[in-house]
Amino acid sequence: MATLSRLLVSWGEGQTGAFDDLAPHVYGELSQLASGYLRREKRGGTLETGVLVHEALLRLMKQKPPTWKGRSHFYGLAALMMRRIILDRARRREVAQRIHQRLGPPPGKDLPRTNLTLPGHLCLKEAIQALAQRHPQAAEVVELRFIWGFREQDIAQRLGLSLPTVKRRWRLARAWLRRFLEPADGP
Protein backbone atom coordinates (compact mmCIF):
# COMPACT_ATOMS: atom_id res chain seq x y z
CA MET A 1 0.00 0.00 0.00
CA ALA A 2 2.76 2.45 0.93
CA THR A 3 4.75 1.42 -2.13
CA LEU A 4 1.78 2.13 -4.39
CA SER A 5 1.23 5.56 -2.84
CA ARG A 6 4.92 6.38 -3.15
CA LEU A 7 4.96 5.32 -6.82
CA LEU A 8 1.84 7.38 -7.55
CA VAL A 9 3.47 10.44 -5.99
CA SER A 10 6.70 9.81 -7.92
CA TRP A 11 4.78 9.50 -11.18
CA GLY A 12 2.84 12.66 -10.41
CA GLU A 13 6.13 14.49 -9.85
CA GLY A 14 7.24 13.42 -13.30
CA GLN A 15 9.97 10.99 -12.28
CA THR A 16 10.97 8.86 -15.22
CA GLY A 17 10.39 5.17 -14.75
CA ALA A 18 7.83 5.62 -11.95
CA PHE A 19 5.00 4.53 -14.24
CA ASP A 20 6.94 1.43 -15.30
CA ASP A 21 7.42 0.52 -11.64
CA LEU A 22 3.77 1.26 -10.86
CA ALA A 23 2.17 -0.88 -13.58
CA PRO A 24 2.96 -4.32 -12.07
CA HIS A 25 1.56 -3.22 -8.70
CA VAL A 26 -1.81 -2.18 -10.12
CA TYR A 27 -2.25 -4.67 -12.95
CA GLY A 28 -4.06 -7.34 -10.92
CA GLU A 29 -6.64 -4.99 -9.44
CA LEU A 30 -7.17 -3.27 -12.78
CA SER A 31 -7.70 -6.69 -14.39
CA GLN A 32 -10.42 -7.51 -11.87
CA LEU A 33 -12.05 -4.16 -12.50
CA ALA A 34 -11.89 -4.64 -16.28
CA SER A 35 -13.26 -8.16 -16.01
CA GLY A 36 -16.26 -6.87 -14.08
CA TYR A 37 -16.97 -4.19 -16.67
CA LEU A 38 -16.69 -6.63 -19.54
CA ARG A 39 -19.02 -9.14 -17.86
CA ARG A 40 -21.70 -6.45 -17.74
CA GLU A 41 -20.96 -5.44 -21.34
CA LYS A 42 -23.50 -6.30 -24.01
CA ARG A 43 -22.88 -9.57 -25.83
CA GLY A 44 -20.89 -9.41 -29.01
CA GLY A 45 -18.12 -7.28 -27.57
CA THR A 46 -14.68 -8.25 -28.79
CA LEU A 47 -12.69 -6.52 -26.08
CA GLU A 48 -10.58 -8.70 -23.79
CA THR A 49 -9.61 -7.93 -20.21
CA GLY A 50 -5.88 -7.55 -20.88
CA VAL A 51 -6.47 -5.28 -23.86
CA LEU A 52 -8.81 -3.08 -21.81
CA VAL A 53 -6.28 -2.80 -18.96
CA HIS A 54 -3.42 -1.98 -21.32
CA GLU A 55 -5.47 0.61 -23.20
CA ALA A 56 -6.49 2.27 -19.91
CA LEU A 57 -2.87 2.32 -18.72
CA LEU A 58 -1.75 3.81 -22.03
CA ARG A 59 -4.34 6.56 -21.76
CA LEU A 60 -3.31 7.28 -18.19
CA MET A 61 0.34 7.36 -19.22
CA LYS A 62 -0.36 9.88 -22.01
CA GLN A 63 -1.77 12.40 -19.56
CA LYS A 64 0.37 15.17 -18.20
CA PRO A 65 1.89 14.18 -14.86
CA PRO A 66 -1.18 14.02 -12.64
CA THR A 67 -1.50 15.06 -9.03
CA TRP A 68 -2.89 11.95 -7.42
CA LYS A 69 -4.97 12.42 -4.31
CA GLY A 70 -4.36 8.84 -3.37
CA ARG A 71 -4.86 5.26 -4.36
CA SER A 72 -8.66 5.55 -4.76
CA HIS A 73 -8.24 8.60 -7.03
CA PHE A 74 -5.95 6.60 -9.32
CA TYR A 75 -8.31 3.60 -9.47
CA GLY A 76 -11.30 5.88 -10.00
CA LEU A 77 -9.62 7.52 -12.98
CA ALA A 78 -8.55 4.13 -14.35
CA ALA A 79 -12.15 2.92 -14.04
CA LEU A 80 -13.36 6.02 -15.88
CA MET A 81 -10.83 5.36 -18.67
CA MET A 82 -12.06 1.77 -19.00
CA ARG A 83 -15.70 2.85 -19.24
CA ARG A 84 -14.76 5.39 -21.91
CA ILE A 85 -12.87 2.76 -23.90
CA ILE A 86 -15.87 0.41 -23.77
CA LEU A 87 -18.21 3.21 -24.81
CA ASP A 88 -15.90 4.30 -27.65
CA ARG A 89 -15.83 0.77 -29.03
CA ALA A 90 -19.60 0.44 -28.74
CA ARG A 91 -20.09 3.76 -30.55
CA ARG A 92 -17.78 2.71 -33.37
CA ARG A 93 -19.70 -0.57 -33.71
CA GLU A 94 -23.02 1.30 -33.82
CA VAL A 95 -21.69 3.81 -36.38
CA ALA A 96 -20.56 0.99 -38.65
CA GLN A 97 -23.98 -0.66 -38.37
CA ARG A 98 -25.76 2.66 -39.02
CA ILE A 99 -23.65 3.32 -42.10
CA HIS A 100 -24.40 -0.10 -43.57
CA GLN A 101 -28.13 0.27 -42.82
CA ARG A 102 -28.42 3.75 -44.33
CA LEU A 103 -26.17 3.35 -47.33
CA GLY A 104 -26.59 -0.31 -48.15
CA PRO A 105 -24.11 -1.88 -50.53
CA PRO A 106 -21.37 0.20 -52.12
CA PRO A 107 -22.33 2.39 -55.09
CA GLY A 108 -22.05 1.16 -58.63
CA LYS A 109 -21.36 2.57 -62.06
CA ASP A 110 -20.78 6.27 -61.33
CA LEU A 111 -17.62 5.61 -59.28
CA PRO A 112 -14.38 3.98 -60.41
CA ARG A 113 -14.45 0.18 -60.63
CA THR A 114 -12.13 -0.21 -57.63
CA ASN A 115 -14.83 1.13 -55.28
CA LEU A 116 -17.28 -1.65 -56.10
CA THR A 117 -15.70 -4.03 -53.60
CA LEU A 118 -15.24 -1.58 -50.72
CA PRO A 119 -17.50 -1.84 -47.68
CA GLY A 120 -20.05 0.96 -47.31
CA HIS A 121 -18.13 2.84 -44.63
CA LEU A 122 -15.04 3.13 -46.83
CA CYS A 123 -17.14 4.59 -49.64
CA LEU A 124 -18.63 7.03 -47.15
CA LYS A 125 -15.13 8.04 -46.07
CA GLU A 126 -14.18 8.77 -49.68
CA ALA A 127 -17.43 10.66 -50.17
CA ILE A 128 -16.79 12.82 -47.09
CA GLN A 129 -13.26 13.53 -48.31
CA ALA A 130 -14.64 14.60 -51.70
CA LEU A 131 -17.26 16.75 -49.96
CA ALA A 132 -14.51 18.38 -47.85
CA GLN A 133 -12.75 19.53 -51.00
CA ARG A 134 -15.86 21.43 -52.17
CA HIS A 135 -17.63 22.25 -48.89
CA PRO A 136 -15.27 21.90 -45.90
CA GLN A 137 -17.76 23.15 -43.29
CA ALA A 138 -20.44 20.76 -44.53
CA ALA A 139 -17.97 17.87 -44.25
CA GLU A 140 -17.17 18.88 -40.66
CA VAL A 141 -20.87 18.92 -39.84
CA VAL A 142 -21.29 15.42 -41.33
CA GLU A 143 -18.40 14.03 -39.31
CA LEU A 144 -19.60 15.57 -36.07
CA ARG A 145 -23.26 14.68 -36.56
CA PHE A 146 -23.29 11.39 -38.43
CA ILE A 147 -20.10 9.75 -37.23
CA TRP A 148 -19.67 11.15 -33.71
CA GLY A 149 -23.34 11.63 -32.90
CA PHE A 150 -23.23 15.31 -31.88
CA ARG A 151 -26.48 17.28 -31.77
CA GLU A 152 -26.88 20.29 -34.04
CA GLN A 153 -26.65 22.69 -31.08
CA ASP A 154 -23.35 21.13 -29.99
CA ILE A 155 -21.98 21.32 -33.53
CA ALA A 156 -22.92 24.99 -33.78
CA GLN A 157 -21.12 25.73 -30.53
CA ARG A 158 -18.09 23.63 -31.43
CA LEU A 159 -17.66 25.18 -34.90
CA GLY A 160 -18.68 28.69 -33.89
CA LEU A 161 -21.63 28.73 -36.31
CA SER A 162 -25.26 29.65 -35.86
CA LEU A 163 -27.81 26.83 -35.54
CA PRO A 164 -29.52 27.72 -38.86
CA THR A 165 -26.13 27.62 -40.61
CA VAL A 166 -25.43 24.16 -39.20
CA LYS A 167 -28.85 22.98 -40.40
CA ARG A 168 -28.18 24.35 -43.90
CA ARG A 169 -24.75 22.69 -44.02
CA TRP A 170 -26.32 19.40 -42.88
CA ARG A 171 -28.99 19.56 -45.64
CA LEU A 172 -26.36 20.43 -48.25
CA ALA A 173 -24.09 17.60 -47.11
CA ARG A 174 -26.89 15.01 -47.11
CA ALA A 175 -27.97 15.94 -50.62
CA TRP A 176 -24.40 16.02 -51.91
CA LEU A 177 -23.51 12.66 -50.31
CA ARG A 178 -26.70 11.04 -51.55
CA ARG A 179 -25.87 12.10 -55.12
CA PHE A 180 -22.26 10.98 -54.76
CA LEU A 181 -23.12 7.58 -53.29
CA GLU A 182 -26.16 6.61 -55.39
CA PRO A 183 -25.57 4.32 -58.35
CA ALA A 184 -25.85 6.03 -61.76
CA ASP A 185 -28.91 3.96 -62.67
CA GLY A 186 -30.48 4.68 -59.24
CA PRO A 187 -34.20 4.55 -58.45
Side-chain angles (χ1 to χ4, degrees):
M1 195 79 85
T3 304
L4 180 60
S5 296
R6 185 176 41 77
L7 288 170
L8 285 170
V9 169
S10 298
W11 179 28
E13 292 172 350
Q15 292 181 12
T16 57
F19 183 84
D20 295 335
D21 295 337
L22 174 71
H25 291 285
V26 297
Y27 192 84
E29 199 163 336
L30 290 177
S31 292
Q32 289 176 346
L33 191 61
S35 179
Y37 283 133
L38 292 174
R39 259 193 313 267
R40 291 185 292 272
E41 173 70 6
K42 201 165 115 177
R43 279 186 160 177
T46 57
L47 200 54
E48 295 178 9
T49 303
V51 173
L52 181 57
V53 171
H54 288 155
E55 182 68 27
L57 285 172
L58 282 172
R59 287 188 183 188
L60 286 169
M61 192 172 73
K62 287 180 182 178
Q63 292 184 347
K64 294 178 181 175
T67 306
W68 300 108
K69 296 175 184 148
R71 180 180 181 277
S72 60
H73 182 233
F74 170 77
Y75 283 113
L77 190 55
L80 178 65
M81 292 291 177
M82 287 183 199
R83 288 191 301 268
R84 284 181 180 169
I85 292 164
I86 291 170
L87 284 173
D88 288 347
R89 295 238 178 168
R91 279 189 198 115
R92 281 194 295 261
R93 215 173 22 247
E94 288 174 15
V95 165
Q97 289 172 352
R98 214 177 321 142
I99 289 169
H100 287 293
Q101 287 171 352
R102 287 184 183 178
L103 300 178
K109 299 175 182 173
D110 60 335
L111 293 178
R113 180 82 177 127
T114 56
N115 286 342
L116 292 175
T117 59
L118 293 175
H121 67 281
L122 290 177
C123 290
L124 179 63
K125 182 179 177 183
E126 284 183 4
I128 292 173
Q129 288 171 349
L131 174 63
Q133 291 175 354
R134 297 186 111 179
H135 307 285
Q137 270 188 346
E140 282 183 293
V141 170
V142 168
E143 288 179 3
L144 291 171
R145 175 128 190 234
F146 186 72
I147 296 175
W148 297 109
F150 281 84
R151 295 176 308 155
E152 289 174 335
Q153 297 86 351
D154 298 329
I155 296 169
Q157 185 178 9
R158 187 176 187 101
L159 297 179
L161 301 171
S162 68
L163 186 57
T165 300
V166 169
K167 289 180 179 187
R168 281 192 306 274
R169 299 291 185 267
W170 176 240
R171 282 193 305 270
L172 167 78
R174 282 190 328 207
W176 196 93
L177 290 170
R178 192 174 293 121
R179 247 180 310 166
F180 186 88
L181 292 170
E182 283 179 353
D185 59 346

